[in-house]
Amino acid sequence: MGGISFPMLSDFHPHGAITQSYNVWNAQRGCPVRAVVIVDEVGVVRWAQTYPAGTLPEPPDLIAALDSLDQNAAG
């Protein structure tokens, strides 16, 4: 995914194991809800947001979330 310099995760096998651990698994549909979860270098969830089906996360919103984490860490 052009230019992304950080790890990204897809939950292929075992199917749903990761998304279940982040509470974004939709058991009724057998698939995860759309979500973005930002995890820090030691594994702590710093920010998470779910989105309705068909809705894409807006890059400026994700950048703002990352910026707020940087500001919180510095302050």
Side-chain angles (χ1 to χ4, degrees):
M1 294 190 59
I4 295 176
S5 62
F6 48 84
M8 295 185 71
L9 173 71
S10 259
D11 196 8
F12 288 113
H13 186 74
H15 186 65
I18 300 300
T19 51
Q20 288 176 40
S21 70
Y22 285 103
N23 295 318
V24 293
W25 178 253
N26 183 332
Q28 184 178 10
R29 295 189 63 206
C31 64
V33 299
R34 181 162 294 190
V36 174
V37 179
I38 299 174
V39 181
D40 71 14
E41 62 275 357
V42 295
V44 175
V45 173
R46 307 299 292 173
W47 186 88
Q49 180 70 45
T50 59
Y51 301 88
T55 302
L56 294 175
E58 293 291 334
D61 295 341
L62 300 179
I63 292 168
L66 290 167
D67 285 344
S68 75
L69 296 175
D70 282 344
Q71 292 171 6
N72 290 336

